[in-house]
Amino acid sequence: MKEIRVELDERSYGISIGSGILERIGEKFRKYEFSPKTALVSNPTVFGLYGEAVVNSLRSEGYDVSTILIPPDGEEYKDFLWAYHILSELLKVGLDRKSAILALGGGVIGDITGFAASTYMRGIAYMQLPTTLLAQVDSSVGGKTGVNHYLGKNMIGTFYQPRLVWIDVDTLKTLPKKEFLAGMAEVIKYGVIWDGEFFDYLRTERERILALDPECLAHIIGRSCEIKADVVSRDEREEGLRAILNYGHTIGHAIETVTGYRRYLHGEAVAIGMVYEAELSESLGFLEKGKAAEIKDLIDSYGLPVSADLLILRRCLRQWR
Ligand code: NAD
Ligand code: GLY
């Protein structure tokens, strides 16, 4: 099992990456001495695949586990009403200030669960059990929690670090290909913003990565988490450096918002954003000539979109003028 640390003084925590580790979460959870009542937040898709393993593991260690499912599955449900629903369920089942909750799912579940944890009784502990590539390499690490508002994505939220990120790479075996590729957009992001060698690795090992070669998966998830942990440890609250992680997201979020979160997956919108932001940077003289084309080619080679309709771009401009 690979272990990475996010160094944030008393809020430091570990990221554990391994194969078949979901069923060992109970054993790990026990070490934290939380209250006996706990809750697992998930959605029916992910819970149907992995919920039983997690619940059984926690119950076998003596925990009283409630499950809270967010029935509709999708970005448009990462909102205040579903966060309120989670908070209501936590109150009903009687979690106390020493309880912890667990998020089992992709970035939607992770973000909304973290947000609920940060506000329940002024903040209780939570753990991330990410099951999409995007959540494993990005959203589960770093403590950005939140929900969307109709006026903008992730506009309501907190910085609130999890106590543990527990990544079972085997969960990627059931992830739809389109979702896997969307996660690759965030992986490519790290190659562009931080590590040229990693960028080259993504180019040369593309076929093995797309075939879900376990060694390659462990490498891309591990390296992405190392980079994210490094950035977050230096600038937790995005006062400077951390903004680098938003590469592709300014345009990406605008595209998601004007298309009602339905046309593109988050990672796909970020892929388009990365291409446009690289081209803009090159045309302004910040990025070396030819680099934007290299970035676009790599994104394209993973089957991700590299442009959006003019109509969508016009709507983005109109909204933010
Ligand atoms: P998602 O959470 O919507 O999950 C994608 C789909 O995959 C869902 O339908 C889900 O049910 C399904 N799924 C999840 N795991 C599965 C598995 N193992 N097998 C089969 N199906 C599975 O999408 P996402 O891409 O994981 O997350 C996107 C969200 O993450 C966005 O809301 C975005 O804003 C957020 N995000 C947050 C941060 C952060 O720092 N907090 C960073 C990046 C993105
Ligand atoms: N995904 C951007 C960040 O965590 O800062």
Side-chain angles (χ1 to χ4, degrees):
M1 186 148 64
K2 187 174 173 75
E3 302 276 354
I4 296 162
R5 220 133 161 97
V6 182
E7 296 292 352
L8 289 167
D9 302 323
E10 74 288 353
R11 280 166 293 102
S12 299
Y13 55 97
I15 304 168
S16 305
I17 306 167
S19 160
I21 62 171
L22 265 191
E23 57 211 36
R24 285 162 43 201
I25 185 65
E27 201 184 304
K28 181 80 179 176
F29 194 82
R30 186 158 48 86
K31 301 203 166 99
Y32 291 77
E33 300 182 352
F34 297 126
S35 293
K37 271 191 186 170
T38 181
L40 177 69
V41 183
S42 192
N43 71 26
T45 311
V46 181
F47 189 81
L49 291 163
Y50 305 109
E52 200 178 306
V54 174
V55 169
N56 286 348
S57 172
L58 291 162
R59 287 196 177 137
S60 71
E61 295 292 333
Y63 289 95
D64 176 0
V65 193
S66 303
T67 54
I68 304 174
L69 301 188
I70 300 191
D73 185 2
E75 178 72 37
E76 65 265 46
Y77 303 104
K78 192 179 98 175
D79 70 5
F80 222 81
L81 287 178
W82 285 105
Y84 188 80
H85 170 76
I86 296 172
L87 292 167
S88 306
E89 292 301 308
L90 297 180
L91 285 168
K92 280 185 214 160
V93 295
L95 262 69
D96 62 41
R97 295 184 65 190
K98 292 214 164 83
S99 299
I101 59 176
L102 304 99
L104 175 71
V108 165
I109 293 295
D111 281 13
I112 198 168
T113 304
F115 180 66
S118 72
T119 49
Y120 185 74
M121 295 192 172
R122 298 192 173 82
I124 59 168
Y126 76 110
M127 290 184 173
Q128 292 274 15
L129 278 51
T131 62
T132 63
L133 179 64
L134 184 137
Q136 295 181 351
V137 299
D138 191 356
S139 64
S140 64
V141 177
K144 274 191 185 174
T145 84
V147 292
N148 301 324
H149 189 279
Y150 79 96
L151 287 175
K153 192 172 156 62
N154 293 336
M155 283 296 134
I156 317 286
T158 54
F159 284 102
Y160 194 68
Q161 300 297 335
R163 296 291 286 277
L164 173 74
V165 181
W166 192 251
I167 301 175
D168 189 333
V169 295
D170 290 355
T171 58
L172 298 181
K173 288 181 189 157
T174 56
L175 190 66
K177 178 95 185 252
K178 193 172 157 67
E179 295 288 351
F180 179 82
L181 295 179
M184 281 308 300
E186 302 279 7
V187 175
I188 292 169
K189 176 186 82 178
Y190 294 114
V192 177
I193 62 168
W194 202 259
D195 184 347
E197 255 177 52
F198 189 47
F199 186 90
D200 291 338
Y201 177 88
L202 298 175
R203 241 191 324 215
T204 53
E205 299 300 334
R206 190 181 64 90
E207 276 178 28
R208 284 174 70 206
I209 293 169
L210 290 176
L212 306 188
D213 176 281
E215 195 191 309
C216 290
L217 285 186
H219 180 63
I220 62 171
I221 296 167
R223 185 65 193 127
S224 299
C225 286
E226 275 168 3
I227 296 170
K228 180 134 191 195
D230 195 357
V231 173
V232 169
S233 299
R234 296 180 203 209
D235 178 22
E236 182 186 13
R237 299 180 72 88
E238 202 174 299
E239 279 156 326
L241 177 70
R242 186 166 177 171
I244 203 173
L245 297 173
N246 298 337
Y247 167 51
H249 286 61
T250 305
I251 293 176
H253 282 176
I255 291 173
E256 280 186 282
T257 304
V258 301
T259 53
Y261 306 108
R262 278 184 287 269
R263 173 138 181 192
Y264 297 104
L265 296 176
H266 174 71
E268 292 173 335
V270 167
I272 299 169
M274 287 198 293
V275 174
Y276 288 145
E277 289 175 24
E279 286 172 351
L280 185 65
S281 176
E282 199 176 288
S283 71
L284 291 172
F286 296 121
L287 187 65
E288 207 181 301
K289 282 258 171 286
K291 290 287 177 202
E294 275 184 44
I295 294 168
K296 184 177 180 178
D297 286 350
L298 183 63
I299 293 171
D300 191 37
S301 76
Y302 276 89
L304 286 159
V306 290
S307 63
D309 297 350
L310 214 55
L311 215 64
I312 293 175
L313 297 176
R314 279 220 188 98
R315 273 159 59 202
C316 290
L317 282 175
R318 221 177 297 134
Q319 180 140 348
W320 278 275
R321 228 190 336 234

